[in-house]
Structures are given as structure tokens and as C-alpha cells.
């Protein structure tokens, strides 16, 4: 299929890109094109203007510091995945990126584009949500920061206004003694997941759980956050510090997710899967937290 006709813009500065977005009605930003181009070719989207931001300088940076990792709008998935400093500051990003599509797609697709695309089955929105990250938005009107909790509005719908561009995303670092894990189940490696989970477990100095939460993908219209304080208390009740038994977490998670049936899987299967994945991810995250302490 060929895409419907559109006006193509290739600004070389951010100001020009934002001016075009302000002037052009029904415009879309083109980043890696790994989601937008298929949508155009299948005629599922028909923007009047495409603003190709690939020539805009200064948007590819990946900056890691004590507070977290800031990923620029043109940083490709593969660049973020290979960034050793980002992996040290927030390992969950790389743990999730390994599951995004295939290497060829990761070489071109952008991490921020994945957030802006807001696919409920995508990995990075769940990661941003569970970490409590932010998206930095810019328009000709100014800049604003949008918390992950407010950013994902529905399937393929973000809080960005039509004249806004996401210029970066910020993934906060986790507190000390925190372990993370990302698990998903897909029909084939690289496919969008049937369900997946990003889990974080934080231990206190006595190796008791001080925080546990999970972000789920594929089980609702937006990433679903589940606080796991209750199953965490059960996991350590009557046990020596650092020896958690998360076997009750699966049932708790199944009560808190509300997936839908589609052509890929039934709601009941997704609910079951969410519990299995969460229990395994919590074990793995606990092991990672204990390794950090040692
Ligand atoms: P584009 O395709 O350029 O844009 C996607 C959407 O986001 C468009 O609406 C565009 O206007 C908007 N957008 C992009 N950047 C910005 C910005 N900076 N500001 C405002 N709006 C913006 N993704 C997964 O997460 N998991 C998978 O398992 C997965 N599997 C895939 C398998 C295949 C075969 C393919 C082709 C893609 C797959 N993807 C998957 C999608 C891939 O990760 C995309 O790269 C990503 O979703 C979008 O990034 P992009 O840079 O390519 O964005």
C-alpha cells in the first residue's frame, strides 16, 4: 500500500520544527518511522503534514546522572540499550528494551517515539510509568513537563497537544537497595507482548521490603500500575530477612488487572499470565536488590 498524500517538512532546528507544528493543521512528527510509516502505508493514519525531525540537531543525547536518565527525542532504542552509564543508573530501561521488536527496528525507532506513540502493548510506557518518569514537551508556546501518570491517555493517545513535540523523557534512578526485572510473553520473540511486567523491589537496611510495585503492559488501555505492599508483607511474614516468598503475589495481581480479549489472547489468559510474570519478576527483582546489598 502507498500512504495517502501529505506535505513533507524537514526542519533543521527545533524552533523551525515547532513553528511548523504550530502552523500546520493535522500534522504528525516523524521520528524513527517504525510505527508511523506502517500506519500511513496501511492508511490507518492520514496526517496532512509530516514534520520529519531527524535533521534537528541536539536531540540524540542520553544523559545519565545521580537523579536518572534523560533520553533525547532522537536517541534510538539501540543507542539507549547499549549505553552503559544509563544501564548503571537505571537498569530497567535496558532490561525492557531487549524485548522491543528486533534489532533492525531498534536501530531506527526512538525511545521517545515509543512513548509518544502510547501503544498499551509497548514496553517503555510501562517502564516510564512504574519509575514515575516524565516527558518533556515543547511547542512554539513554551515548554512543560508531563508526569507519566498523566501522559498516557488511552490506546495510541498521549497528553501531547497537536502542536507539541516530546523533546526528551526522564527515567528516574531508583533508591538504594532496589532491584528491577522486566518479563513478558509474546507469541514470537520481538512481537508485541500478550502481557508483560516491569517490577521494582526496594529493601531497607534490614533487608525487609520497603517498596514493591509493578507496571503492566498489554492488560489495559494504558500502562497499569499495581502497588505490591500487601503481597510484599505476606511474602516476608515469618521469614528471615532477605528470603521472600512471592507465591501469593500472582493471585493479588490477577485481582488487580482487567485485560480484554482480542484476536491474540483471551482476557482470562492475559490475567493468568500477568500473575505468573509478576511473581517471577518479583523474585528476580528481589534477587537483584540483594545482589546490590552484597
Ligand atoms: P514514529 O514511528 O516516527 O512515530 C510514532 C508516533 O509517535 C507518531 O504518531 C509520531 O507522530 C509520534 N512521535 C514520534 N516521536 C515523537 C516526538 N518526539 N514528539 C511527538 N510525537 C512523536 N514497539 C514496542 O514498544 N514493542 C515491540 O515489541 C514492537 N514491535 C515492533 C515490531 C515491528 C515489526 C515494528 C515495525 C515496530 C515495532 N515496535 C514495537 C514499534 C517501534 O518500537 C517504534 O520504534 C516505536 O513505537 C515508535 O518510535 P519511532 O521513533 O519509530 O516513532
Amino acid at each position: 500500500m502507498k500512504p495517502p498524500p501529505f506535505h513533507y517538512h524537514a526542519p533543521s532546528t527545533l524552533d523551525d520544527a515547532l513553528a511548523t507544528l504550530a502552523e500546520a493543521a493535522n500534522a504528525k512528527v516523524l521520528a524513527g518511522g517504525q510505527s508511523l510509516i506502517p500506519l500511513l502505508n496501511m492508511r490507518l493514519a492520514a496526517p496532512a503534514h509530516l514534520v520529519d525531525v531527524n535533521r534537528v540537531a541536539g536531540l540524540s543525547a542520553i544523559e545519565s546522572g545521580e537523579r536518572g536518565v534523560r533520553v533525547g527525542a532522537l536517541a534510538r532504542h539501540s543507542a539507549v540499550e547499549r549505553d552503559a552509564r544509563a544501564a548503571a543508573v537505571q537498569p530497567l530501561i535496558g532490561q525492557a528494551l531487549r524485548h522491543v521488536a528486533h534489532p533492525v527496528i531498534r536501530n531506527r525507532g526512538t525511545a521517545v517515539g515509543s512513548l509518544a506513540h502510547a501503544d498499551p502493548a509497548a514496553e517503555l510506557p510501562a517502564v516510564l510509568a512504574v519509575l514515575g518518569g516524565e516527558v518533556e514537551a515543547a511547542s512554539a508556546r513554551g515548554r512543560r513537563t508531563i508526569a507519566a501518570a498523566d501522559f498516557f491517555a488511552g490506546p495510541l493517545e498521549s497528553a501531547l497537544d497537536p502542536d507539541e513535540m516530546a523533546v526528551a523523557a526522564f527515567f528516574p534512578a531508583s533508591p538504594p537497595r532496589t532491584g528491577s526485572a522486566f518479563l513478558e510473553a509474546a507469541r514470537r520473540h520481538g512481537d508485541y507482548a500478550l502481557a508483560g511486567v516491569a517490577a521494582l523491589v526496594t529493601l531497607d537496611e534490614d533487608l525487609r521490603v520497603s517498596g514493591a510495585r509493578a507496571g503492566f503492559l498489554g492488560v489495559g488501555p494504558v500502562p497499569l500500575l499495581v502497588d505490591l505492599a500487601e503481597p510484599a508483607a505476606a511474602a516476608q511474614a515469618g521469614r528471615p530477612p532477605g528470603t521472600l516468598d512471592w507465591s501469593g503475589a500472582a493471585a493479588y495481581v490477577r485481582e488487580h488487572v482487567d485485560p480484554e480479549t482480542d484476536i491474540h489472547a483471551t482476557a482470562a489468559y492475559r490475567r493468568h499470565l500477568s500473575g505468573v510474570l509478576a511473581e517471577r519478576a518479583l523474585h528476580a527483582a528481589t534477587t537483584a536488590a540483594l545482589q546490590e546489598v552484597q
Side-chain angles (χ1 to χ4, degrees):
M1 291 279 288
K2 294 277 189 287
F6 53 80
H7 296 282
Y8 176 76
H9 307 263
S12 55
T13 67
L14 182 59
D15 283 348
D16 284 350
L18 299 179
T20 308
L21 285 172
E23 285 158 18
N26 190 15
K28 279 269 177 205
V29 170
L30 174 67
Q34 298 304 298
S35 297
L36 185 54
I37 298 296
L39 286 177
L40 294 177
N41 287 347
M42 287 186 276
R43 300 210 167 198
L44 294 170
H49 299 265
L50 276 197
V51 185
D52 180 349
V53 294
N54 284 279
R55 290 169 189 77
V56 175
L59 292 179
S60 303
I62 304 164
E63 297 159 286
S64 302
E66 263 178 32
R67 287 186 53 246
V69 181
R70 183 181 182 272
V71 177
L74 285 180
R76 312 289 164 179
H77 292 307
S78 55
V80 184
E81 188 186 357
R82 284 196 293 259
D83 192 295
R85 185 109 175 85
V89 171
Q90 186 42 268
L92 187 54
I93 306 171
Q95 289 165 352
L97 276 171
R98 269 169 237 142
H99 297 272
V100 174
H102 309 281
V104 174
I105 291 159
R106 297 204 291 271
N107 284 342
R108 190 72 196 157
T110 62
V112 171
S114 170
L115 299 171
H117 190 51
D119 190 317
E123 288 78 4
L124 286 185
V127 168
L128 193 80
V130 78
L131 292 174
E134 297 166 344
V135 174
E136 295 173 33
S139 71
R141 295 173 286 127
R143 289 197 175 224
R144 65 176 176 138
T145 300
I146 308 170
D150 303 321
F151 187 76
F152 303 105
L156 306 189
E157 197 187 337
S158 80
L160 290 170
D161 287 329
D163 65 340
E164 273 183 319
M165 177 179 158
V167 288
F170 182 71
F171 297 86
S174 297
R177 297 179 298 277
T178 297
S180 63
F182 188 98
L183 290 178
E184 68 175 40
R187 294 175 81 91
R188 292 173 306 188
H189 180 74
D191 281 4
Y192 276 103
L194 298 174
V197 60
L200 292 169
V201 173
T202 304
L203 305 175
D204 65 17
E205 287 179 354
D206 300 322
L207 304 186
R208 311 207 47 95
V209 179
S210 58
R213 61 185 191 277
F216 291 87
L217 51 136
V219 296
V222 295
L224 177 78
L225 280 188
V226 179
D227 185 278
L228 295 162
E230 200 176 301
Q236 63 191 358
R239 300 175 66 86
T243 57
L244 285 97
D245 174 6
W246 286 106
S247 55
Y252 185 87
V253 164
R254 286 183 192 122
E255 279 171 26
H256 287 79
V257 297
D258 189 18
E260 288 190 358
T261 294
D262 63 17
I263 55 166
H264 304 296
T266 63
Y269 181 63
R270 283 201 164 93
R271 187 185 299 279
H272 173 76
L273 203 52
S274 302
V276 172
L277 293 171
E279 187 183 325
R280 288 181 190 166
L282 286 163
H283 274 295
T286 306
T287 303
L290 288 167
Q291 279 167 354
E292 202 192 292
V293 175
Q294 283 157 6

